[in-house]
């Protein structure tokens, strides 16, 4: 059983069926119902293809062996139905279900325009497919650690964020990169929830944005990512708590000041700007000392910087008392 706390009859079909079969069968049902109405014999309905991502031809991409994890990769049959994407929770869902896979399919991901602006030589807008033609895609196995004390090992595909920073041509006055998720309450019911400051917003310093680990994700399991992961473009910052890894990005703004962010505005005493993974600094309501892997269900001790200190510790070396500075 995938989820021990639930009975098997409570599992939604999507949790126990392979995701490809699940999506294809739903399309097939829609197709066969339509053709049955047209008087065709049942069973002779033409196969209806699931929505094909226009970037599908770019995959598979080469694996970068510099980024591996000693733990097992979590299967897609689990990670595709265990997503924090508050935009797709019903405004009446106060437990914030992680099974938002169905709801997320309502997000249109083409056309998808990305705005680059602020402290740059010149503001511009670029379509996702144009952007994809200008960068080199690769696969990296990363550990992901959510602030809620669960984690997963996940094979992202995408490109180093430093490539986007270069394309943006920032001025020397640029000190931060601010990012925004789409705003469309018609398809994302969670955005009608008035108690949250939509759209979802995040930010990193220029040093963080150009660190080798900062990765802009376009695919998972070496194919275009399903919408629930944050298609068509999301961030992966493996040394920070998961909420910094903003999904479905439409804007990059280069700022000279520290930008305001979604979680910091929502609960400033619980979610800081830095949000570096640190087992010694508890969340105000729970310990961060250990984490549960959603792939294996095993519990592991949490590591400082999620085990990526070699690549990022120098960024924070002169920030004073470690715990306080890192978890502001
Ligand atoms: N726009 C947006 N981005 C988001 C979130 C969200 O609710 N909305 N949740 C964050 C959190 S808390 C986590 S842990 C990761 C989850 O990514 P996953 O669904 O691929 O595991 O996305 C992050 N990015
Ligand atoms: Mo998270």
């Amino acid at each position: 059983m995938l989820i021990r706390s639930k009975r098997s009859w409570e599992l939604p079909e999507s949790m126990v069926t392979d995701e490809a079969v699940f999506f294809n069968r739903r399309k097939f049902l829609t197709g066969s119902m339509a053709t049955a109405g047209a008087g065709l014999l049942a069973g002779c309905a033409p196969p209806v293809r699931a929505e094909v991502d226009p970037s599908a031809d770019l995959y598979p991409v080469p694996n970068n062996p510099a980024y591996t994890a000693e733990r097992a990769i979590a299967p897609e049959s689990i990670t595709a139905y265990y997503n924090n994407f508050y935009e797709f929770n019903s405004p009446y869902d106060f437990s914030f279900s992680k099974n938002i896979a169905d709801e997320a399919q309502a997000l249109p991901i083409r056309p998808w325009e990305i705005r680059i602006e602020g402290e740059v030589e010149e503001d511009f807008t670029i379509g996702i497919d144009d952007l994809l033609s200008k960068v080199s895609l690769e696969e990296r196995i990363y550990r992901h650690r959510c602030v809620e004390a669960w984690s997963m090992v996940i094979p992202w595909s995408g490109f180093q964020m430093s490539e986007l920073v270069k394309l943006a041509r920032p001025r020397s006055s640029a000190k931060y990169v601010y990012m925004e998720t789409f705003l469309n309450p018609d398809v994302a019911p969670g955005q009608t929830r008035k108690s949250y400051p939509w759209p979802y917003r995040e930010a990193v310093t220029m040093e963080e944005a150009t660190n080798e680990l900062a990765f802009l994700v376009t695919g998972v399991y070496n194919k275009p990512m399903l919408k629930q992961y944050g298609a068509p473009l999301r961030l992966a910052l493996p040394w920070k708590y998961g909420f910094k890894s903003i999904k479905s990005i439409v804007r990059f703004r280069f700022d000279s000041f520290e930008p305001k962010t979604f979680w910091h505005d929502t609960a400033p005493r619980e979610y800081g700007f830095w949000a570096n993974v640190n087992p010694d600094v508890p969340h105000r309501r729970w310990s961060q000392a250990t984490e549960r892997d959603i792939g294996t269900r095993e519990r592991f001790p949490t590591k400082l910087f999620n085990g990526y200190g070699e690549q990022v510790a120098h960024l924070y070396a002169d920030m004073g008392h470690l715990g306080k500075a890192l978890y502001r």
Side-chain angles (χ1 to χ4, degrees):
M1 270 227 308
L2 299 174
I3 301 287
R4 283 187 199 137
S5 57
K6 279 193 176 180
R7 307 283 181 176
S8 61
W9 60 85
E10 290 179 316
L11 283 176
E13 183 200 11
S14 54
M15 288 293 284
V16 291
T17 314
D18 177 71
E19 148 263 321
V21 176
F22 170 64
F23 286 115
N24 284 320
R25 180 157 70 234
R26 294 179 69 229
K27 290 280 171 185
F28 177 78
L29 288 175
T30 319
S32 56
M33 283 185 302
T35 45
L40 287 177
L41 285 172
C44 293
V48 178
R49 234 174 275 172
E51 191 180 337
V52 174
D53 190 295
S55 69
D57 288 349
L58 301 175
Y59 299 84
V61 300
N63 174 269
N64 184 335
Y67 306 98
T68 54
E70 64 289 350
R71 277 149 54 178
I73 292 174
E76 187 170 20
S77 55
I78 292 179
T79 66
Y81 304 98
Y82 194 89
N83 305 101
N84 276 336
F85 204 165
Y86 277 27
E87 285 85 340
F88 291 104
N89 286 113
S90 149
Y92 310 107
D93 173 9
F94 297 102
S95 63
F96 296 95
S97 161
K98 295 194 198 301
N99 189 355
I100 50 75
D102 273 358
E103 288 74 10
Q105 305 318 308
L107 180 67
I109 56 168
R110 291 297 187 287
W112 191 272
E113 307 265 86
I114 297 152
R115 184 73 185 155
I116 312 255
E117 61 185 16
E119 303 291 325
V120 291
E121 288 306 320
E122 205 177 346
D123 296 356
F124 64 96
T125 302
I126 185 167
I128 183 67
D129 296 303
D130 198 7
L131 176 61
L132 290 179
S133 73
K134 291 178 161 57
V135 294
S136 52
L137 295 179
E138 61 180 38
E139 181 185 63
R140 296 183 180 191
I141 314 297
Y142 272 180
R143 290 181 299 273
H144 173 97
R145 170 56 159 87
C146 176
V147 74
E148 299 161 348
W150 56 267
S151 62
M152 62 183 177
V153 174
I154 187 102
W156 299 125
S157 315
F159 56 99
Q160 212 165 287
M161 190 177 184
S162 59
E163 286 197 65
L164 179 121
V165 171
K166 208 168 159 195
L167 286 172
R169 297 194 295 140
R171 299 198 200 111
S172 57
S173 48
K175 301 283 180 261
Y176 295 87
V177 185
Y178 162 93
M179 290 152 283
E180 245 176 53
T181 296
F182 69 88
L183 183 62
N184 187 352
D186 290 342
V187 302
Q191 292 183 334
T192 64
R193 205 189 285 259
K194 297 281 188 294
S195 46
Y196 286 83
W198 309 106
Y200 200 100
R201 295 158 282 126
E202 261 308 334
V204 291
T205 65
M206 282 291 276
E207 291 71 28
E208 291 173 331
T210 52
N211 183 272
E212 62 166 292
L213 287 178
F215 198 55
L216 282 166
V217 173
T218 58
V220 192
Y221 302 97
N222 224 328
K223 59 185 179 179
M225 74 182 129
L226 296 170
K227 295 176 182 184
Q228 58 266 40
Y229 295 101
L233 188 69
R234 63 88 58 85
L235 186 59
L237 299 168
W239 73 100
K240 291 182 182 285
Y241 289 118
F243 69 85
K244 296 289 291 186
S245 293
I246 182 172
K247 294 177 166 182
S248 304
I249 305 169
V250 294
R251 188 185 309 279
F252 292 87
R253 193 182 69 214
F254 291 76
D255 283 337
S256 58
F257 54 87
E258 185 185 301
K260 291 180 148 261
T261 57
F262 180 86
W263 284 113
H264 190 60
D265 281 358
T266 301
R269 290 156 63 82
E270 300 194 346
Y271 305 105
F273 175 80
W274 298 105
N276 292 314
V277 175
N278 188 342
D280 298 330
V281 179
H283 185 277
R284 288 179 70 87
R285 290 179 279 137
W286 58 83
S287 163
Q288 295 292 24
T290 64
E291 63 202 55
R292 199 181 48 147
D293 187 297
I294 61 163
T296 62
R297 319 254 330 153
E298 272 181 88
R299 195 164 275 284
F300 293 97
T302 290
K303 293 181 180 161
L304 182 63
F305 300 116
N306 200 21
Y308 294 101
E310 194 186 317
Q311 290 93 337
V312 298
H314 70 275
L315 296 175
Y316 313 101
D318 57 0
M319 285 186 57
H321 179 262
L322 200 65
K324 253 194 165 166
L326 294 186
Y327 202 72
R328 176 163 62 89

